[in-house]
Amino acid sequence: MQLARAAPRGPGAARPPAAQARQRLPPGGVRGRSWADPCARRRWQPARAADQPGAGAGAAAVAPSPPAAVPPVGVGGLSAELDEQQEAAARAAGADPCLAYNLAGNDWSQSSLSVVVLGASGDLAKKKIFPALFSLFYEGLLPQDFQVFGYARSKMSDAEFRELIAGTLTCRVNARERCAEAQARFLERCFYQAGPYDAPEGFTSLSARLDALEAVRPRANRMFFLSIPPNVFLAATGNAADHARSRSGWTRVIVEKPFGRDAASSAALGRGLAAHLEEDQIYRIDHYLGKELIENLTVLRFSNRVFEPLWSRQYIRNVQIIFSEDFGTEGRGGYFDRYGIIRDVIQNHLLQIVALFAMEQPVSLDAEDIRNEKVKVLRSMKVVGREDVVLGQYRARGRRPGYLDDDTVPKGSLTPTFAAVSMFIANGRWDGVPFLLKAGKALHKRCAEIRVQFRAVPGNLYRDKAGSDPDAACNELVIRIQPKEAIYLKINNKVPGLGLRLDQTRLDLQYREQYEGELPDAYERLLLDVVNGDKRLFIRADELEAAWALYTPVLHELEAAGVAPELYPYGSRGPLGAHYLAAKHSVRWGDLADGADDD
């Protein structure tokens, strides 16, 4: 049973104004939006002061004009015409992130943008960052005076650097016309600077080259992405901030996880960053928060009256947040073994999802209001104990190697590749509701999802028709984050025909069927947010502190005791201990139940 869908547009059907604009503009830097800053438009709410020098004068200081008088609604065509105009205006505002979230704008007629990727020769940069930057360029979302610099220790010329990243650029966005031309124009803006991370010489040379390219505008804005090993974070950040920061515009630094190994190391990292940067210059990125279904969480809950009254312990029996990969470390175990699955996935990705899911409605969509509510949730959660955790490690199965068979993994390692954790939020809304988090490698399928299992209907008239398993008749809301993004609600329904027989079916929203075009990659969304100064999806210092406070004690206890993880076969559903942990709270894992969806 599917949700009603908008009627498909035929070849001659009118397209929305925003879609018409996208079709008219060519790719390679002018498609989607003009070079004018999408955030620089006037808005009815007063804009915050811009965070770049001199922003108080000029466009940002212009007072918003009052809305034009709306003519009285008449009869016939006038009312319909006004409705269409209002709908078009709403669509235009919704498509613009700066209007939607009331962000202070960049005046790109007076500013340039330089993006510096530290660790430019690494896998993350090649597979995610440069393709995301190209997609934004192809969509016309970056300014006219824009350049990319790769920085790493490897010796490389500009031409060699362009050749290195050229093979990673794809036109996977909606329109694919003139892709080769767009790639060539993007690569012309890419440069490379070799240098050490722990010495200023390379950063001084980098800054000089940036100055020469940025001279075309009076104001220069610079973004630094730290795609580098944790042991050089602070040295690289200090040198970038002290020797390559912008002297005329803003400087923003994107820090990729891990944010330490525990509360103490995370605090030390925070102090090191604060020695060179202000908190509003630091963007701690968790790419899971940039995924479409995660950003939709607050929309689903706070803009639909049907969900908000149910979002509490009165109606929800448990919440499951599940992350599974169908592959192991496979030659990349050296990094993973230093952290393990709890630090790598649960303490950051899944805990951030819990905070977004369980928070109270924020005062506004302002980044600080949203992050304030997330911090309240984290501070209300009970510290995880040893009895709340089950650990696992995959072993060989057939021709597929086990974790300890990876040559990059130390012999006899006890690092878990699987963990299941039960958590509780001690507040009025969620008291007593188990939040079950599960993450693992080398499992039976690749999937990330949120499962909300509701309580049974009290005094159910049809309980004798539900079969021998009363849990099977409970409603369940599933938000599939990846792959094949979807939202569906399991409901009980009468099977058509004579007699009375019940069946569980789904109200199903499949994103690929409902919406045209491909979903943006998480890094595209997050990089654009940094350009726009939007910190809603980035982690604040006190938020990180609260998250580590929940997991540091149990991590230290498990490691000190040398707890051996339970072995499970490669490609299986994980260790049996995870089932016992769920059963302790009268819960069954939804992804392992009979009939659980794999499609």
Side-chain angles (χ1 to χ4, degrees):
M1 181 175 182
Q2 294 191 339
L3 296 176
R5 294 172 51 190
R9 290 192 293 267
R15 297 176 62 85
Q20 292 174 359
R22 286 196 297 271
Q23 288 294 100
R24 287 196 299 267
L25 295 173
V30 293
R31 183 179 175 279
R33 288 196 178 97
S34 68
W35 289 121
D37 174 33
C39 299
R41 306 176 192 171
R42 295 176 183 176
R43 52 186 71 83
W44 303 129
Q45 298 180 6
R48 297 176 302 185
D51 61 350
Q52 50 188 357
V62 177
S65 303
V70 178
V73 177
V75 295
L78 179 57
S79 176
E81 183 179 349
L82 287 174
D83 288 344
E84 286 187 16
Q85 291 174 354
Q86 291 171 353
E87 184 180 349
R91 279 198 302 266
D96 188 333
C98 304
L99 287 175
Y101 297 108
N102 193 34
L103 303 173
N106 299 290
D107 183 4
W108 294 120
S109 66
Q110 300 294 313
S111 306
S112 63
L113 174 65
S114 298
V115 180
V116 180
V117 181
L118 278 65
S121 57
D123 282 348
L124 176 62
K126 289 185 290 186
K127 293 179 180 178
K128 291 293 184 180
I129 302 172
F130 294 124
L133 288 170
F134 171 66
S135 291
L136 295 176
F137 174 81
Y138 186 71
E139 287 289 293
L141 297 173
L142 297 176
Q144 183 174 12
D145 292 302
F146 155 76
Q147 49 271 331
V148 177
F149 262 84
Y151 186 100
R153 289 176 287 213
S154 309
K155 298 293 183 182
M156 204 183 312
S157 66
D158 290 345
E160 290 170 330
F161 174 61
R162 290 165 183 161
E163 184 178 355
L164 176 71
I165 66 174
T168 69
L169 308 181
T170 59
C171 296
R172 60 156 198 81
V173 287
N174 297 344
R176 301 174 187 274
E177 67 275 12
R178 298 168 64 183
C179 179
E181 177 187 336
Q183 290 176 345
R185 294 182 61 185
F186 177 79
L187 291 171
E188 288 173 358
R189 299 164 178 264
C190 296
F191 306 91
Y192 184 80
Q193 176 66 47
Y197 299 122
D198 55 357
E201 294 80 14
F203 291 91
T204 302
S205 300
L206 170 67
S207 188
R209 294 183 67 186
L210 288 171
D211 288 340
L213 292 169
E214 294 165 344
V216 295
R217 303 285 181 186
R219 187 179 300 124
N221 300 318
R222 296 181 182 177
M223 275 172 56
F224 293 85
F225 195 117
L226 303 186
S227 177
I228 52 178
N231 61 319
V232 292
F233 266 6
L234 294 182
T237 301
N239 284 315
D242 297 343
H243 302 285
R245 74 164 64 232
S246 173
R247 293 182 291 275
S248 58
W250 50 252
T251 298
R252 295 169 182 163
V253 177
I254 305 170
V255 183
E256 181 74 58
K257 75 174 184 71
F259 310 117
R261 296 188 78 255
D262 54 19
S265 58
S266 177
L269 176 62
R271 289 191 298 270
L273 294 173
H276 302 279
L277 299 164
E278 300 295 330
E279 175 63 23
D280 63 359
Q281 295 178 294
I282 302 170
Y283 287 71
R284 299 174 188 84
I285 190 171
D286 183 332
H287 74 273
Y288 245 69
L289 296 184
K291 293 187 178 293
E292 185 68 39
L293 271 293
I294 298 301
E295 186 158 19
N296 191 48
L297 263 181
T298 53
V299 177
L300 182 72
R301 176 178 168 192
F302 297 124
S303 71
N304 292 290
R305 181 65 183 269
V306 67
F307 288 122
E308 175 57 21
L310 306 179
W311 223 256
S312 73
R313 62 189 179 90
Q314 185 175 357
Y315 296 102
I316 293 178
R317 187 173 59 160
N318 68 84
V319 179
Q320 303 173 23
I321 302 177
I322 299 164
F323 173 98
S324 66
E325 293 179 332
D326 57 1
F327 55 88
T329 54
E330 296 165 3
R332 295 172 287 106
Y335 163 80
F336 181 85
D337 197 76
R338 292 195 295 272
Y339 294 93
I341 198 72
I342 293 179
R343 292 183 176 95
D344 193 47
V345 177
I346 293 180
Q347 184 272 338
N348 42 72
H349 298 332
L350 303 195
L351 191 57
Q352 284 291 314
I353 294 173
V354 171
L356 273 174
F357 179 95
M359 71 179 186
E360 297 298 319
Q361 178 171 316
V363 174
S364 73
L365 291 176
D366 182 87
E368 297 311 307
D369 290 334
I370 292 174
R371 297 195 293 182
N372 286 343
E373 296 302 330
K374 288 170 63 183
V375 171
K376 289 179 185 177
V377 172
L378 294 173
R379 288 179 175 170
S380 299
M381 299 187 81
K382 296 179 180 179
V383 175
V384 177
R386 186 168 170 178
E387 67 280 3
D388 301 320
V389 179
V390 169
L391 303 179
Q393 185 184 96
Y394 68 90
R395 60 173 175 81
R397 184 184 192 184
R399 301 178 62 180
R400 292 181 287 187
Y403 179 68
L404 297 180
D405 298 323
D406 189 330
D407 292 337
T408 62
V409 174
K411 299 299 180 184
S413 172
L414 297 178
T415 298
T417 61
F418 175 99
V421 182
S422 59
M423 303 190 72
F424 290 87
I425 303 173
N427 64 19
R429 182 182 291 270
W430 296 112
D431 190 30
V433 176
F435 283 74
L436 299 179
L437 283 56
K438 180 172 68 171
K441 291 181 174 293
L443 296 172
H444 67 298
K445 65 178 179 179
R446 173 179 174 262
C447 186
E449 60 188 12
I450 304 168
R451 288 181 173 263
V452 185
Q453 295 185 348
F454 292 90
R455 297 189 183 279
V457 176
N460 190 349
L461 288 173
Y462 299 98
R463 57 183 174 272
D464 58 331
K465 306 294 182 182
S468 59
D469 184 5
D471 289 341
C474 291
N475 301 124
E476 185 177 31
L477 174 67
V478 181
I479 302 170
R480 188 190 298 137
I481 302 166
Q482 68 177 27
K484 300 180 181 178
E485 294 83 355
I487 302 172
Y488 58 88
L489 177 65
K490 294 183 178 181
I491 64 167
N492 298 310
N493 193 60
K494 178 184 177 295
V495 176
L498 301 176
L500 180 60
R501 187 161 58 93
L502 269 59
D503 184 28
Q504 191 168 75
T505 187
R506 305 190 318 185
L507 300 176
D508 196 357
L509 168 60
Q510 296 287 330
Y511 269 56
R512 286 186 177 181
E513 297 177 7
Q514 180 69 21
Y515 301 108
E516 297 178 356
E518 296 191 40
L519 299 180
D521 182 76
Y523 280 94
E524 293 174 35
R525 186 190 312 279
L526 295 171
L527 287 170
L528 183 60
D529 285 348
V530 178
V531 173
N532 292 335
D534 185 356
K535 303 195 75 171
R536 290 175 303 113
L537 302 177
F538 295 85
I539 302 170
R540 203 167 61 189
D542 57 341
E543 195 176 344
L544 188 60
E545 178 184 357
W548 273 120
L550 295 171
Y551 278 92
T552 294
V554 72
L555 286 169
H556 286 177
E557 182 180 354
L558 292 170
E559 290 166 350
V563 175
E566 180 184 346
L567 297 180
Y568 61 95
Y570 194 123
S572 69
R573 296 171 179 258
L576 289 175
H579 296 274
Y580 290 114
L581 178 67
K584 185 168 71 172
H585 303 290
S586 302
V587 174
R588 293 182 184 180
W589 291 107
D591 63 321
L592 304 183
D594 292 338
D597 294 280
D598 293 325
D599 55 9

